[in-house]
Amino acid sequence: MKLNNKFICIVLPLIILPILLVGFNAYQYLYQNSKTKALFVMHSQLDHVQQQLLQELRLVQANLQLLASDTQVQQYALTEDEYNRIGIYQPAVLKRFHKYHLAHPNYLEIRFVLPDGFQESYWSAPLHYQGDKDEAQSVWLKTLKHSNLKTIKELYLDQQPLLKAYQELRIKNQATEGYHDEKQLRGYLAVTVQLNWLLEAMKDRSSEQGQLMALMHSNGSQAVGNSKLEPKIRQVLAQYITDSSAALNSQHASAEISIDQESYFISSRKVWGEYFLVAMIPKAQVNMAAQKLSSGLIFITLSVIAITLILIMLVLRNTVVKPLQLLSLASKKIGEGQLDTKLNLGTSFEFKELSTSFNLMSDKLKKSAQEIQFMAYHDSLTRLPNRRMFQYLLSNNLASAKRKKETLALLFLDLDNFKTINDDLGHEVGDLLLKSFAARISTTLREEDTIGKDDVTQDLDLVSRLGGDEFTVVLPHLHNHVDASVVAQRIIKAMQTVFKIENHQFYVSTSIGIAMYPADALDIEGLVKCADIAMYNAKNAGRNTYKFYMQSMNVAIINRVKHESELHTAIEKKQLILHFQPQVNIQSKGFYGVEALVRWMHPQRGLIPPNDFITLAEETGMILELGKWVLFESCRKAKAWAELGVSNFKVSVNVSSVQFQRQDVTKLVAQALQESQLAAEFLTLEITESVLMSAEDSNRQTLLDIKKMGVSLAIDDFGTGYSSLSFLRQFPVDTLKIDRAFIVQSNREPEVRAIISAIITMAHALKLTVVAEGVESESELEFLISSDCDYVQGYYYSKPLSEDKFLEFYKKEMVNTQGGSNIQ
Ligand code: C2E
Ligand code: CA
Ligand code: CA
């Protein structure tokens, strides 16, 4: 349901119901009012007519009385002699009668009837006489004769309603009769009164009201009314009179009856005897006024509803619906991505608030959409364009360079030794370094626009991060190669400033490969490949330098790929061998142990040193297979030597940090010991500081587990990383191996000697034994002896040896130092 309609459904009843209630009450009031009024009119008419009738009657009776006491009438009645009576007295009586008629024109007849019923003196209005001279048999005479009544009145109710009144005339003849004689009946006086006024009165007073008024006998036999009284109506009226005669005492009694399914209010008055006045009003008539009002009321109600509806619609439209429509429209627009849609819903407080919130939301949405958009095309760490954006920008620049026939350079940058920093100092520091590095390149590019070009507006977007420590710089609109080399040099120079990250300070160099459009390649893919190759070449050339792409570089890359697949074969086909470099106790000069060092017996190239393939093995993950082999093989050899009688020694095995990341080293060591049956105390694992400093806590647990097995742990190349001695305390390490770089410098640099001595002292304080690596000369040895170093490993005693050579060395040494060996 639409909001409009819902609102109407709620509001309309609230308005209509009271109106209907008021209307209903008003109707009720009006109806009652008009009923009361109609009934009142009816009653007063009845009363009026009744009074008139009774007055007429009283008047007639008074006149009869007057006539009866008239001397001439009396004289006439007393005269017994018929001749005298008629001859002398009758004319005066008739005259008297005529006089009465003149006074009362509706007295149609005035008569004198003898006691035997003979009508003797008679006056009638012109054209009226209808009578019979002998009235001996008439009802009135009989009634008067046989009752005590002195007067009788009769009504004749037809077209001409008549009232007939009769009165005895009893008089004493004073002349002949004594005081005690009874008055003698001398005759009867009769008057016939025309009641035409009655018809008029009934007609006048009730026709306009649509009422019926009638004078009738209670049995319905006679009746006159203001309209034609059909027998059926007479019957109903008669019935009413009979039924209600008990209630007739009450003047204003009225009732409701129905004739032919029409209702009437009815009321009656007794006139006299069995004669009644009845009046009737159709109920519909009474209702009419109320109905008139009610139709007016309905009209008003409907008008009010209509007006209210229109008003509500208007108000709703302007205050609710319209703003809501605007809101939904705006939301739709937002949904369609038009995020700068703004809303203004007018000045009302709520809508103002809503508008503000909506606009705030759209602003935020727009911002986050922009952010999302930005993130999709930018690297979240450095906020530089990402690979996708780089490709887009490069393709644009390429298209433009093609159009304008310009030269463009693509620089491929890779941080030198980033992996070491990441491994040693953790990813957090690594990330911060990448950020600073990115910022430094960007500012370097922006600082001077000597890139050769006028248009440097897109400077920032020229730098992208492809991932890891790989960055690119696109240099459009170049004159020649030199422009590109200037930029590369500037970047390399910028790296000469120290990076300060958290508490660390270090120098980072970068190797840059440069590919030129259109000289080296024409499309993105080609340019990226060339720049990548050039970058590898820069790395091979000792890092911290830049190289332009040259066709010949491809060969190097091809070699690397070849190398990679060869290393696979090497591991598979067991082309790897182990050499062992002895370690000697510095004090006793006795044999302490060996370090197992891997070599690659290349079928064509001969023996390849580990530095040429370990990094490749680590990068490709082949180190996992390789490391496993070295560990197992070292344990096997050591066991074999122990069985040959080489006693009390340790075999040290190098374990790469990659292995800790990706292998269960604990399990591997356990398996190697189990398989070779070598006692754990014969084995030492050499790990780098990066293993300790890796953010992963699991490494610590692994080391603890290994230690628990009885295997020793040595920190290799100590001093090249960034760990401190106090940091080492957290780990179950047994031995420190001071890096060869320190030993080499110990001859020349007194500070280095101080450092070495300090390391040894502190290591001893931490209950660590110290191995000095790369000891080549007597003087170095002397210094180490004086510094209280524990063991030495280096060319001074021996280079890494094949197994056979090592066993020879062992025999010889043992002979020298301990006067013999057990080896057979
Ligand atoms: P490292 O662990 O520091 O091994 C010692 C290296 O120093 C060996 O080089 C050894 O020949 C050399 N060295 C020892 N004494 C002297 C000396 O007096 N003068 C000079 N100039 N050098 C000396 P190598 O065998 O070429 O091994 C190089 C590196 O290769 C090793 O350095 C180690 O990091 C890695 N490596 C060797 N074998 C393995 C292996 O099995 N697994 C792993 N993960 N890395 C290995
Ligand atoms: Ca080592
Ligand atoms: Ca070492």
Side-chain angles (χ1 to χ4, degrees):
M1 200 191 264
K2 276 188 157 185
L3 187 69
N4 249 349
N5 301 349
K6 268 191 192 165
F7 221 84
I8 286 166
C9 284
I10 296 164
V11 172
L12 216 53
L14 290 180
I15 294 160
I16 293 174
L17 284 178
I19 292 176
L20 287 180
L21 214 70
V22 168
F24 179 74
N25 282 333
Y27 175 81
Q28 281 287 329
Y29 171 77
L30 262 169
Y31 173 72
Q32 285 303 334
N33 205 27
S34 61
K35 182 181 160 189
T36 314
K37 197 178 141 203
L39 289 180
F40 175 78
V41 169
M42 184 168 82
H43 286 302
S44 57
Q45 283 167 356
L46 279 173
D47 290 344
H48 180 79
V49 175
Q50 184 196 30
Q51 290 309 317
Q52 262 186 301
L53 260 176
L54 291 175
Q55 202 181 324
E56 186 76 67
L57 182 66
R58 276 195 299 275
L59 190 65
V60 170
Q61 282 174 332
N63 280 330
L64 279 174
Q65 214 92 57
L66 271 178
L67 264 182
S69 56
D70 188 287
T71 31
Q72 285 178 337
V73 172
Q74 287 199 349
Q75 226 159 23
Y76 162 75
L78 285 172
T79 308
E80 277 170 21
D81 179 60
E82 196 177 316
Y83 183 78
N84 284 345
R85 206 170 66 233
I86 292 168
I88 298 166
Y89 295 109
Q90 194 183 38
V93 168
L94 288 177
K95 217 176 193 171
R96 190 56 91 232
F97 285 0
H98 182 59
K99 255 189 190 157
Y100 267 87
H101 171 68
L102 289 179
H104 304 281
N106 60 333
Y107 288 14
L108 295 183
E109 294 172 322
I110 307 171
R111 293 176 283 150
F112 180 80
V113 179
L114 290 175
D116 61 359
F118 180 75
Q119 179 183 291
E120 192 182 71
S121 297
Y122 174 88
W123 186 93
S124 102
L127 302 175
H128 180 75
Y129 181 72
Q130 296 161 336
D132 188 342
K133 287 254 176 204
D134 185 7
E135 290 187 64
Q137 297 308 315
S138 56
V139 180
W140 67 268
L141 187 68
K142 284 184 181 163
T143 313
L144 275 179
K145 251 193 190 138
H146 303 295
S147 71
N148 296 329
L149 294 174
K150 293 196 167 69
T151 61
I152 275 188
K153 45 208 184 273
E154 286 177 342
L155 281 171
Y156 292 86
L157 304 174
D158 54 20
Q159 252 106 340
Q160 280 221 316
L162 297 173
L163 165 67
K164 295 193 176 184
Y166 305 90
Q167 165 147 357
E168 284 179 347
L169 186 62
R170 277 182 192 272
I171 26 180
K172 223 189 254 180
N173 191 342
Q174 309 281 5
T176 58
E177 288 162 25
Y179 179 75
H180 296 291
D181 290 335
E182 282 201 4
K183 288 180 182 171
Q184 294 285 312
L185 180 70
R186 309 290 171 178
Y188 302 96
L189 282 168
V191 179
T192 302
V193 184
Q194 193 186 34
L195 295 178
N196 282 354
W197 63 265
L198 176 69
L199 289 179
E200 291 308 311
M202 290 199 295
K203 245 181 212 149
D204 278 2
R205 302 216 160 242
S206 48
S207 61
E208 69 191 39
Q209 301 285 330
Q211 290 181 12
L212 176 117
M213 193 178 227
L215 178 63
M216 66 181 288
H217 192 271
S218 66
N219 61 15
S221 58
Q222 295 179 53
V224 283
N226 61 344
S227 64
K228 211 174 145 214
L229 292 168
E230 278 167 23
K232 195 168 156 198
I233 294 177
R234 280 188 197 206
Q235 203 183 328
V236 174
L237 296 181
Q239 187 65 46
Y240 168 72
I241 291 166
T242 330
D243 289 351
S244 63
S245 55
L248 285 175
N249 299 332
S250 158
Q251 277 284 300
H252 293 94
S254 60
E256 235 182 286
I257 56 161
S258 74
I259 303 169
D260 289 343
Q261 284 161 6
E262 217 186 310
S263 296
Y264 296 87
F265 293 112
I266 187 165
S267 186
S268 63
R269 298 283 182 278
K270 190 173 184 166
V271 184
W272 67 77
E274 289 300 304
Y275 289 101
F276 289 87
L277 269 170
V278 197
M280 212 163 71
I281 329 169
K283 203 174 171 183
Q285 188 108 39
V286 178
N287 280 351
M288 204 114 86
Q291 266 165 6
K292 256 187 210 160
L293 174 99
S294 74
S295 52
L297 202 76
I298 288 170
F299 174 75
I300 290 170
T301 309
L302 288 179
S303 310
V304 168
I305 290 169
I307 291 167
T308 315
L309 261 182
I310 292 166
L311 283 177
I312 288 175
M313 299 278 259
L314 281 177
V315 171
L316 254 182
R317 226 234 345 273
N318 288 328
T319 59
V320 180
V321 176
K322 218 164 158 194
L324 286 182
Q325 278 172 345
L326 283 177
L327 182 66
S328 99
L329 197 76
S331 310
K332 210 164 142 195
K333 275 189 187 167
I334 293 249
E336 284 163 359
Q338 298 178 38
L339 296 181
D340 35 359
T341 307
K342 287 278 173 290
L343 195 61
N344 183 4
L345 296 179
T347 51
S348 95
F349 179 72
E350 289 81 359
F351 282 121
K352 216 169 167 185
E353 289 271 285
L354 185 60
S355 305
T356 315
S357 308
F358 183 92
N359 293 338
L360 214 71
M361 180 195 80
S362 92
D363 282 347
K364 280 197 175 152
L365 262 179
K366 195 176 160 191
K367 263 186 208 141
S368 40
Q370 282 169 345
E371 183 72 3
I372 289 168
Q373 175 88 355
F374 184 83
M375 293 317 265
Y377 292 99
H378 291 78
D379 164 46
S380 59
L381 179 67
T382 60
R383 300 191 80 78
L384 290 177
N386 60 12
R387 185 180 288 273
R388 205 191 302 173
M389 185 68 166
F390 156 74
Q391 277 174 337
Y392 170 76
L393 292 169
L394 182 56
S395 80
N396 277 358
N397 280 305
L398 275 179
S400 152
K402 199 172 191 173
R403 255 196 336 272
K404 298 180 187 165
K405 298 207 179 351
E406 285 177 339
T407 302
L408 174 150
L410 171 65
L411 274 60
F412 221 95
L413 282 70
D414 190 288
L415 264 75
D416 297 330
N417 303 318
F418 176 70
K419 201 177 153 308
T420 318
I421 294 168
N422 222 11
D423 286 349
D424 290 356
L425 300 182
H427 293 292
E428 248 168 64
V429 175
D431 282 354
L432 290 172
L433 172 64
L434 287 175
K435 241 170 124 172
S436 317
F437 177 75
R440 197 176 285 187
I441 307 175
S442 300
T443 38
T444 308
L445 289 179
R446 220 181 310 144
E447 262 166 16
E448 302 166 49
D449 33 325
T450 56
I451 307 167
K453 271 315 97 219
D454 348 289
D455 178 14
V456 279
T457 46
Q458 287 180 304
D459 274 357
L460 255 189
D461 282 351
L462 296 177
V463 186
S464 310
R465 180 183 176 211
L466 299 195
D469 56 347
E470 281 180 9
F471 294 81
T472 56
V473 178
V474 176
L475 303 173
H477 326 297
L478 296 186
H479 296 299
N480 49 44
H481 281 59
V482 181
D483 289 342
S485 67
V486 168
V487 175
Q489 281 166 19
R490 191 141 29 92
I491 292 171
I492 287 170
K493 198 173 157 214
M495 296 303 136
Q496 288 173 1
T497 314
V498 70
F499 279 92
K500 292 179 183 163
I501 285 153
E502 291 187 338
N503 298 326
H504 310 281
Q505 293 195 4
F506 40 77
Y507 293 96
V508 174
S509 62
T510 176
S511 304
I512 306 173
I514 307 173
M516 302 296 295
Y517 169 89
D520 298 332
L522 297 174
D523 57 0
I524 298 179
E525 213 176 290
L527 277 173
V528 169
K529 200 171 144 201
C530 291
D532 195 22
I533 291 171
M535 192 271 291
Y536 266 102
N537 205 37
K539 290 249 180 218
N540 287 338
R543 305 177 176 194
N544 195 21
T545 183
Y546 68 94
K547 289 281 175 205
F548 279 96
Y549 171 76
M550 285 179 298
Q551 209 70 40
S552 59
M553 288 176 185
N554 255 332
V555 179
I557 292 300
I558 290 165
N559 276 343
R560 184 187 141 99
V561 175
K562 203 169 134 206
H563 217 124
E564 226 177 280
S565 73
E566 279 180 349
L567 185 55
H568 259 297
T569 332
I571 298 168
E572 264 171 30
K573 298 206 168 160
K574 311 245 155 48
Q575 293 174 0
L576 299 176
I577 55 160
L578 288 181
H579 277 188
F580 304 95
Q581 186 174 29
Q583 296 167 331
V584 175
N585 186 315
I586 205 165
Q587 301 298 339
S588 67
K589 314 283 187 234
F591 176 66
Y592 167 65
V594 290
E595 175 175 6
L597 295 157
V598 72
R599 272 99 184 85
W600 179 3
M601 273 300 284
H602 193 277
Q604 283 89 41
R605 290 193 276 150
L607 204 63
I608 301 175
N611 280 339
D612 289 6
F613 61 89
I614 289 293
T615 310
L616 183 68
E618 282 179 332
E619 280 169 8
T620 55
M622 283 188 273
I623 192 73
L624 304 180
E625 258 320 281
L626 188 151
K628 186 179 172 184
W629 178 81
V630 172
L631 177 65
F632 277 63
E633 184 69 5
S634 301
C635 291
R636 277 194 292 266
K637 293 288 181 206
K639 177 71 182 172
W641 300 335
E643 280 175 358
L644 280 175
V646 181
S647 58
N648 222 2
F649 74 102
K650 289 188 177 286
V651 63
S652 296
V653 176
N654 294 286
V655 182
S656 159
S657 62
V658 177
Q659 288 178 269
F660 277 92
Q661 277 166 30
R662 295 168 55 184
Q663 263 179 335
D664 185 350
V665 181
T666 318
K667 197 168 148 196
L668 216 59
V669 171
Q671 280 175 353
L673 292 174
Q674 162 81 23
E675 195 217 75
S676 61
Q677 288 297 305
L678 179 72
E681 66 259 30
F682 284 96
L683 182 63
T684 298
L685 299 188
E686 290 192 9
I687 56 176
T688 53
E689 287 167 82
S690 63
V691 173
L692 306 186
M693 298 187 74
S694 148
E696 285 144 79
D697 209 31
S698 61
N699 281 356
R700 203 177 115 84
Q701 191 53 48
T702 307
L703 296 178
L704 282 168
D705 293 344
I706 291 169
K707 186 84 202 69
K708 233 182 256 166
M709 280 189 260
V711 175
S712 305
L713 293 170
I715 302 296
D716 205 356
D717 305 337
F718 184 79
T720 57
Y722 302 90
S723 60
S724 62
L725 271 168
S726 57
F727 175 74
L728 293 184
R729 277 170 51 197
Q730 306 172 35
F731 298 93
V733 187
D734 305 276
T735 307
L736 274 192
K737 291 185 80 178
I738 301 177
D739 193 70
R740 191 169 70 85
F742 288 92
I743 311 301
V744 168
Q745 293 179 56
S746 66
N747 271 340
R748 302 191 299 269
E749 314 272 348
E751 298 89 21
V752 175
R753 274 207 292 278
I755 291 172
I756 294 172
S757 297
I759 291 176
I760 294 171
T761 313
M762 283 173 72
H764 283 164
L766 292 170
K767 306 232 166 7
L768 298 173
T769 54
V770 181
V771 178
E773 273 190 303
V775 179
E776 291 186 359
S777 66
E778 183 91 43
S779 60
E780 286 163 0
L781 185 67
E782 291 294 308
F783 163 67
L784 289 166
I785 292 172
S786 70
S787 297
D788 204 17
C789 183
D790 302 296
Y791 309 101
V792 285
Q793 173 185 347
Y795 291 178
Y796 178 77
Y797 280 106
S798 169
K799 288 195 169 185
L801 304 167
S802 65
E803 187 186 10
D804 296 344
K805 294 245 173 75
F806 158 66
L807 288 173
E808 269 177 35
F809 168 88
Y810 178 75
K811 259 192 228 164
K812 210 168 86 198
E813 277 303 304
M814 290 302 107
V815 173
N816 286 348
T817 56
Q818 287 156 18
S821 93
N822 310 335
I823 296 182
Q824 320 300 309

